[in-house]
Amino acid sequence: FTAPSWARHDLDDDDGDDDDGGQADGLAQVQVIHNAADPAAEEVDIYINGDLAIDDFEFRTATPFLDLPSGVELTIGVAGGNSNSADDILASFPVTLEKDEKYVVMATGVLDPSKFDTGVNGNDIAFTLKILTPARTKSDNNNHVDIAVFHGVTDVPAIDILTGGTRLVDELGYGDFTDGYFSVPAGEYILDVT
């Protein structure tokens, strides 16, 4: 097994100077969620620095948290699910991750907005990546669940989310995450999206 180039950054820079020379300073954790509801992007391939990282990534699926190098620029490329190489990348996004940070990266939008209703929510619905940080992998309270919500429905205006008359989310616009996480006691809920 040969590690892809994006995973081979030396973590130790022992040359004694202050210049990191483009070397990673550690690791960050990244979860990727495919929420791009374009039939042309039902499956995508994700490349990092030109190497295939996620093959045939299906709509409405998510990766576990992946360890990626921090402190160096990574280029995340998105190609169709039938791609043969990085030459097939449709969109690229440069990112630099912070050491020991956690991220949720949401793939959202559509490849060709002219084929979709763009007047409903007033926001740009072109394919992009939206990032939530710091992401959480567990709640601070063992009896609660921490929730972050993302509005990724291109043809729906701002939403509210309520449960039992309690408003959890207020006027969340397309392409936005809630302002961090909110916490609710563990249990069963019926959610109303209006």
Side-chain angles (χ1 to χ4, degrees):
F1 173 74
T2 302
S5 63
W6 53 266
R8 291 195 300 261
H9 293 281
D10 292 331
L11 298 181
D12 297 316
D13 183 5
D14 295 328
D15 61 7
D17 64 21
D18 292 330
D19 178 13
D20 69 7
Q23 301 204 356
D25 62 4
L27 295 172
Q29 291 190 310
V30 178
Q31 179 183 49
V32 183
I33 301 173
H34 181 348
N35 188 62
D38 184 333
E42 185 174 348
E43 279 189 355
V44 296
D45 293 339
I46 307 296
Y47 290 82
I48 300 179
N49 289 357
D51 291 319
L52 183 62
I54 306 170
D55 192 25
D56 296 331
F57 190 34
E58 295 181 1
F59 175 55
R60 291 189 176 162
T61 60
T63 67
F65 278 88
L66 307 170
D67 289 330
L68 296 180
S70 59
V72 293
E73 184 174 275
L74 302 175
T75 300
I76 299 175
V78 181
N82 59 352
S83 71
N84 295 311
S85 72
D87 293 337
D88 297 323
I89 289 174
L90 302 169
S92 293
F93 305 89
V95 298
T96 302
L97 307 172
E98 292 185 25
K99 182 179 179 181
D100 299 327
E101 191 59 88
K102 292 181 176 69
Y103 300 84
V104 171
V105 177
M106 185 76 66
T108 190
V110 296
L111 299 174
D112 184 355
S114 69
K115 295 181 179 178
F116 296 85
D117 185 354
T118 59
V120 175
N121 64 44
N123 293 330
D124 183 5
I125 64 169
F127 180 83
T128 193
L129 302 180
K130 298 287 187 165
I131 297 175
L132 172 68
T133 190
R136 294 186 188 168
T137 56
K138 64 180 183 176
S139 174
D140 292 334
N141 182 329
N142 290 336
N143 298 316
H144 283 71
V145 177
D146 291 351
I147 301 170
V149 177
F150 178 79
H151 181 343
V153 184
T154 58
D155 58 354
V156 171
I159 61 168
D160 298 333
I161 300 177
L162 300 95
T163 183
T166 300
R167 187 174 305 273
L168 301 174
V169 176
D170 186 37
E171 290 292 310
L172 184 64
Y174 168 75
D176 291 335
F177 281 99
T178 47
D179 186 20
Y181 290 78
F182 58 91
S183 184
V184 297
E188 293 185 15
Y189 296 87
I190 295 174
L191 300 178
D192 297 313
V193 180
T194 62

